[in-house]
Amino acid sequence: MGAGRRRVLIIGSGRRIRNNFLPAFAQRRDQFELVGLWSRTREHAERAASPWGVPVVDSPAAVLETVDTVVVSVSTTAVRAVLRELAERAAQLTVVLDTPVFGQAAHLPAMATLRAFARVVVAEDYMNYPQWTLARRAVADGLIGEVRSVELAHSGYRYHGLALIRSLADFDHVTVATRRRVGADVHFGFRLRHGVRGRIFEPYDQARGTTTITGEKGVITDSAQVGGGHGPVHVLRPRGDARPDGYLLDGLELDLPALPALLDAEVPDRSLFNALKTCGLLEVLAAVTGEAFHSRYTYQEALYDHLTTAVLRTSPLLVDPVAGAGRNIVDGLDDMFAGLAWARGIVARPAARRGGTRRREPA
């Protein structure tokens, strides 16, 4: 045991680390070795690391030469500083970024920094919840034919909801998006390039939230109240009651052998909802060790979802003029920032050579 395991440094000690990352890594001890955990406050770091037997380190630099994977779960304002600290070994590192990747438009130039890393995996777990994994499998098997629409009625929000919608549409991009208020709710509408419609009704509410995926010959939903106006209704449901160990959808089953242990884990949030988040994170970790479904969700895709939903919260209408051509605004920004970084490097190299050359005095 231990041969071939990835060596991991965790940067951060907040609720996401304590509730989800550490339990997820504990389920994958055969694939990952936690070399250390660092946080700006040592007391917080020890509180997070101690229950899992993870060493607390004095600084990322103390172990950076010995790891190949770094988990970054810090405030959005601190992400860029952490990436700069890791930049010296970027070409040898896989970095796992908690969502959101960056908090505001002013952070977008840091995209050029991400290009330097061997691999960037964004920890978007919502679209990887077990029920949605099973739904995508059913769609791929042709249960409801081509997907026509995905509606998240109080069951998704912001970039998490858009990521789920697009995951059911081959990560197609948004051409037009709208926002309007309906009573106490806010309705977000999305039209994807190849015709799939998405809807998100906020506020998010676990108790009453429902998700409905409508296809050309049927419906997949997690609500027994959805009508059958679009063909047969196939209901997603957990296998088991208070302590489920899988999900069911007609004749399809998804086993979750880790779920009982996650429900028993000594974490601040011991709810089923939190355990499902950790199940989603296990799918993210699968993209770290090899090619998995989540591998398709690149940092550019995550930035796209974040930027799209952030802009839509300030404007009732969003139109992406390049989505119809198979690209999107983040592709263009990524190319632009990479070009600027390249140009700065070209300018800096002659200056560095001049600064490092001594003038030779005549004999």
Side-chain angles (χ1 to χ4, degrees):
M1 184 172 175
R5 289 192 299 173
R6 299 188 71 92
R7 292 173 57 82
V8 181
L9 166 66
I10 294 178
I11 297 178
S13 60
R15 291 182 65 85
R16 276 280 283 172
I17 295 295
R18 296 165 63 200
N19 277 321
N20 305 115
F21 275 101
L22 287 167
F25 279 118
Q27 291 293 319
R28 295 292 182 266
R29 289 190 178 95
D30 60 328
Q31 297 174 314
F32 298 95
E33 176 186 356
L34 298 184
V35 173
L37 184 149
W38 179 82
S39 178
R40 286 182 301 176
T41 305
R42 188 174 182 89
E43 178 187 355
H44 294 170
E46 290 175 345
R47 182 177 61 182
S50 178
W52 304 94
V54 178
V56 171
V57 298
D58 293 328
S59 70
V63 296
L64 198 57
E65 291 290 332
T66 70
V67 303
D68 52 45
T69 303
V70 180
V71 172
V72 179
S73 182
V74 297
S75 68
T76 54
T77 55
V79 171
R80 289 180 297 167
V82 171
L83 292 177
R84 285 195 295 269
E85 191 169 354
L86 302 177
E88 184 178 340
R89 290 204 67 242
Q92 291 79 43
L93 291 176
T94 292
V95 62
V96 181
L97 286 177
D98 203 2
T99 50
V101 184
F102 305 115
Q104 52 189 269
H107 297 171
L108 289 174
M111 293 168 65
T113 306
L114 293 180
R115 280 191 173 217
F117 286 88
R119 191 168 194 177
V120 178
V121 177
V122 175
E124 173 54 60
D125 53 35
Y126 185 64
M127 71 176 186
N128 289 309
Y129 277 26
Q131 56 268 48
W132 314 141
T133 297
L134 185 57
R136 281 192 295 268
R137 183 186 300 174
V139 168
D141 288 348
L143 182 65
I144 60 171
E146 292 291 327
V147 173
R148 300 298 193 204
S149 67
V150 183
E151 179 181 284
L152 311 182
H154 309 288
S155 65
Y157 61 99
R158 298 199 179 193
Y159 48 89
H160 303 295
L162 183 54
L164 173 58
I165 290 169
R166 295 202 307 118
S167 79
L168 287 153
D170 200 29
F171 291 106
D172 202 4
H173 292 115
V174 176
T175 56
V176 179
T178 59
R179 170 179 55 84
R180 62 190 179 96
R181 180 166 290 279
V182 180
D185 296 347
V186 179
H187 290 197
F188 299 88
F190 304 91
R191 183 188 302 164
L192 306 190
R193 185 163 60 107
H194 290 104
V196 173
R197 301 294 184 104
R199 292 187 292 273
I200 300 174
F201 302 159
E202 293 188 8
Y204 178 75
D205 186 344
Q206 288 182 42
R208 63 182 174 125
T210 62
T211 298
T212 303
I213 306 160
T214 302
E216 59 185 349
K217 58 180 183 180
V219 174
I220 295 172
T221 180
D222 58 1
S223 171
Q225 307 303 314
V226 172
H230 296 277
V233 176
H234 310 276
V235 180
L236 274 165
R237 61 187 188 280
R239 187 176 63 198
D241 297 321
R243 294 180 59 82
D245 62 357
Y247 268 83
L248 304 172
L249 179 60
D250 285 4
L252 295 175
E253 294 190 39
L254 179 66
D255 294 324
L256 298 172
L259 188 53
L262 293 174
L263 288 169
D264 290 334
E266 294 293 335
V267 295
D269 184 349
R270 302 190 64 180
S271 68
L272 173 60
F273 178 74
N274 183 72
L276 293 176
K277 290 178 69 173
T278 306
C279 286
L281 199 56
L282 291 174
E283 297 302 311
V284 173
L285 295 185
V288 174
T289 57
E291 292 301 320
F293 175 79
H294 191 76
S295 302
R296 299 180 58 192
Y297 196 67
T298 63
Y299 73 84
Q300 293 97 331
E301 297 292 355
L303 280 168
Y304 176 82
D305 289 334
H306 182 72
L307 188 60
T308 299
T309 53
V311 170
L312 197 56
R313 300 187 99 77
T314 64
S315 170
L317 176 66
L318 182 151
V319 179
D320 188 338
V322 298
R327 290 177 59 79
N328 65 79
I329 191 64
V330 170
D331 292 331
L333 288 171
D334 197 18
D335 291 343
M336 180 184 74
F337 293 133
L340 289 173
W342 176 83
R344 283 196 298 268
I346 292 295
V347 170
R349 280 196 289 274
R353 285 197 295 270
R354 288 194 300 271
T357 303
R358 292 185 177 181
R359 182 179 178 182
R360 191 173 180 180
E361 297 294 333

